Amino acid sequence: AQKITQTQPGMFVQEKEAVTLDCTYDTSDPSYGLFWYKQPSSGEMIFLIYQGSYDQQNATEGRYSLNFQKARKSANLVISASQLGDSAMYFCAMRGGNAGNMLTFGGGTRLMVKP
Amino acid sequence: DAGVIQSPRHEVTEMGQEVTLRCKPISGHDYLFWYRQTMMRGLELLIYFNNNVPIDDSGMPEDRFSAKMPNASFSTLKIQPSEPRDSAVYFCASSQLAGIQETQYFGPGTRLLVL
């Protein structure tokens, strides 16, 4: 069974500072993918970044980067230079090779950016 | 290119009524997923289709829920009869292929309120 844990229900960050959102996972699959989604107050789910279990380098997409520590089973999202528009819920999700196409989500972290 | 389209965006109905949610996946995507999001349970997969065929419906809560995909560009999720505990945001998502690296793209969601 797959499990995703996001231990920070809510976080504040000052505008223009960097912030790290934690995500740990548990799976017996040797092959898996990790995803981060953003859900603003308008409700849509926006894909941010992907990391594969066999990727040698940490994924980056603009201001988003993923701090992937495979031995610790963690895939933390780092947002650099926070903007007011980054205020949203952030979900970590995993898809394992043996779980078919099932995408398992964590409980989410609400990020609030202070001006 | 248009993203995943869902309708209606909001639905308010009374207990016992039939509710039909609609989804148009991204053109060329062979996989379609229905999710439900609630405060208590977070995001949970209800059912997914591959090439219009239901593959895994183990997440469908009970017989009151049914989903169909009559063609590659249209799917419905039906609740009959609806109950107040069905109140949630229902998301449709699609992906092009299977595989751990395949990103699921979400629609804007349908916010359902059953009174």
Side-chain angles (χ1 to χ4, degrees):
Chain A
Q2 300 178 134
K3 186 177 180 181
I4 295 280
T5 303
Q6 294 179 254
T7 57
Q8 307 151 314
M11 288 189 67
F12 284 96
V13 65
Q14 198 68 40
E15 191 179 11
K16 299 181 184 178
E17 292 185 350
V19 63
T20 297
L21 306 184
D22 294 342
C23 172
T24 58
Y25 58 91
D26 189 20
T27 181
S28 57
D29 290 328
S31 178
Y32 50 88
L34 296 155
F35 302 80
W36 277 91
Y37 287 85
K38 172 184 178 181
Q39 186 176 39
S41 58
S42 51
E44 69 270 32
M45 294 285 287
I46 303 168
F47 165 70
L48 295 178
I49 194 168
Y50 164 81
Q51 178 84 46
S53 59
Y54 292 119
D55 292 344
Q56 295 296 312
Q57 294 186 333
N58 287 342
T60 60
E61 288 286 347
R63 294 187 298 110
Y64 304 109
S65 60
L66 212 151
N67 183 2
F68 181 47
Q69 299 187 47
K70 193 171 182 178
R72 292 187 175 186
K73 293 189 175 180
S74 72
N76 299 338
L77 177 70
V78 180
I79 305 175
S80 63
S82 297
Q83 302 172 358
L84 295 179
D86 294 334
S87 295
M89 283 289 289
Y90 289 82
F91 291 93
C92 180
M94 178 174 67
R95 176 189 250 164
N98 292 335
N101 284 290
M102 177 174 287
L103 197 59
T104 302
F105 284 85
T109 295
R110 181 171 296 281
L111 177 67
M112 291 153 281
V113 181
K114 297 186 290 185
Chain B
D1 194 12
V4 177
I5 299 172
Q6 290 187 247
S7 64
R9 294 292 307 275
H10 303 272
E11 178 82 25
V12 180
T13 190
E14 293 188 344
M15 182 174 63
Q17 296 298 307
E18 177 179 295
V19 175
T20 299
L21 311 180
R22 298 172 177 81
C23 175
K24 176 180 170 56
I26 293 172
S27 177
H29 282 196
D30 290 336
Y31 289 82
L32 183 139
F33 307 82
W34 282 101
Y35 289 88
R36 179 172 67 175
Q37 184 179 33
T38 62
M39 289 294 293
M40 292 298 294
R41 301 174 67 90
L43 271 157
E44 48 183 351
L45 178 67
L46 300 178
I47 185 171
Y48 81 91
F49 295 82
N50 176 24
N51 289 325
N52 314 338
V53 177
I55 303 300
D56 186 344
D57 65 353
S58 59
M60 296 285 263
E62 47 197 277
D63 292 345
R64 298 184 298 105
F65 286 69
S66 63
K68 294 182 180 179
M69 193 165 185
N71 58 62
S73 60
F74 183 65
S75 177
T76 60
L77 178 68
K78 187 175 292 185
I79 309 173
Q80 167 63 23
S82 59
E83 297 182 3
R85 59 193 168 120
D86 302 329
S87 297
V89 180
Y90 290 81
F91 287 102
C92 177
S94 69
S95 68
Q96 189 171 15
L97 298 170
I100 59 171
Q101 77 284 1
E102 286 298 316
T103 299
Q104 293 182 16
Y105 294 93
F106 283 72
T110 295
R111 190 174 297 273
L112 174 65
L113 178 62
V114 183
L115 301 173

